Amino acid sequence: MRTDKVITNAGEALAGVRDGATFAVGGFGLSGIPNVLIQALYDIGVRGIGVVSNNCGVDGGGLGVLLAARRIARVTASYIGNNKEFARQYLAGELEVELTPQGSLAERLRAGGCGIPAFYTPAGVGTPVAEGGLPLRHAPDGSVAVASPPKEVREFDGRRYVLERGITTDFALVRAAKGDRLGNLVFAKAARNFNPLAAMAGKITIAEVEELVEPGALGTDEIHLPGVFVQRVVPLTPEQAADKRIENRTVA
């Protein structure tokens, strides 16, 4: 295992990426989105990829860049959000989408990262999440071409629970506020929601960091994700670190 995990070029950090690969991508809305790595993924021209993320960016931002270029074949997410192209491709049958409750998605990523193949949760019991029938892919005429299958439901102590599978992916792309050369990461505020979980789920995890520090500079209580989960670290320039979009401006 590399001791110094820093790779200064984002494109080089994506070595080994291939068409059809799967990616867990951090971020919550547009908070903590690994924009530099997403752009590098676009630049290398990879196609037919599968993405697991809380959402799929917005039109022209985040994973929306890859969506608009038709590079994504399948998305596992908790909601579509205000990404009109995401909704259009899904409803037109151009994109396969697995919608899952947000808490279940978070736990599926964490479980996969911990080597847990499946778990039971009450979220979704009595709904199409458990009973099946959610459209995974539409036909061009708007009918359901592929529907989600029913999931196992069991009762524990008088309450029903649905079985959800843990998620692992070929790669994970995340963004951290701070990171050291060993891959230890610190996330800022809402960026901590899904970035650590996505990082755990990837077989190869690549982190872009806004501030690179030397080993030992991060206190043990400060680290949100230990470096054992991270294989490659890409330090950002000050300009890249400062480039942060917001979804909806509410003040002038």
Side-chain angles (χ1 to χ4, degrees):
M1 181 181 293
R2 285 169 51 96
T3 301
D4 188 334
K5 301 177 181 180
V6 170
I7 300 175
T8 55
N9 183 281
E12 294 177 3
L14 292 170
V17 167
R18 64 190 186 282
D19 289 351
T22 55
F23 296 81
V25 182
F28 190 78
L30 286 181
S31 176
I33 297 292
N35 284 314
V36 173
L37 289 170
I38 290 172
Q39 183 62 45
L41 195 60
Y42 171 86
D43 291 341
I44 65 176
V46 67
R47 295 183 177 275
I49 64 174
V51 170
V52 181
S53 185
N54 180 56
N55 56 293
C56 209
V58 298
D59 294 303
L63 288 168
V65 173
L66 295 173
L67 265 178
R70 309 292 184 88
R71 305 289 182 80
I72 300 176
R74 191 179 196 277
V75 177
T76 299
S78 71
Y79 73 104
I80 291 177
N82 61 355
N83 189 326
K84 294 179 181 179
E85 179 61 14
F86 187 8
R88 190 201 66 76
Q89 289 188 26
Y90 175 43
L91 295 174
E94 300 171 5
L95 181 70
E96 187 167 306
V97 178
E98 179 189 8
L99 293 174
T100 187
Q102 191 172 79
S104 298
L105 178 60
E107 183 63 10
R108 290 178 69 188
L109 289 165
R110 191 198 70 84
C114 292
I116 299 170
F119 60 91
Y120 287 98
T121 173
V125 170
T127 76
V129 170
E131 297 168 358
L134 287 173
L136 294 178
R137 180 181 291 277
H138 290 89
D141 64 2
S143 62
V144 178
V146 181
S148 64
K151 299 174 182 176
E152 179 184 338
V153 176
R154 287 186 60 183
E155 186 174 302
F156 296 90
D157 301 321
R159 189 174 185 184
R160 297 168 70 219
Y161 297 80
V162 60
L163 184 71
E164 292 282 6
R165 297 290 301 271
I167 293 175
T168 57
T169 57
D170 299 317
F171 296 88
L173 309 180
V174 300
R175 180 170 182 141
K178 292 182 183 180
D180 66 19
R181 292 180 174 275
L182 303 179
N184 299 304
L185 302 179
V186 176
F187 302 96
K189 302 180 175 65
R192 190 177 175 184
N193 286 344
F194 271 90
N195 270 300
L197 305 172
M200 293 173 67
K203 296 175 184 176
I204 297 176
T205 294
I206 309 166
E208 60 180 62
V209 299
E210 296 172 11
E211 180 183 352
L212 179 67
V213 300
E214 293 302 316
L218 298 176
T220 54
D221 289 338
E222 186 182 4
I223 295 170
H224 297 148
L225 185 79
V228 67
F229 289 108
V230 179
Q231 283 70 47
R232 303 169 189 172
V233 175
V234 179
L236 301 182
T237 65
E239 293 75 20
Q240 289 171 330
D243 183 16
K244 300 178 183 180
R245 288 185 56 181
I246 61 172
E247 291 178 73
N248 296 296
R249 185 182 297 275
T250 57
V251 297

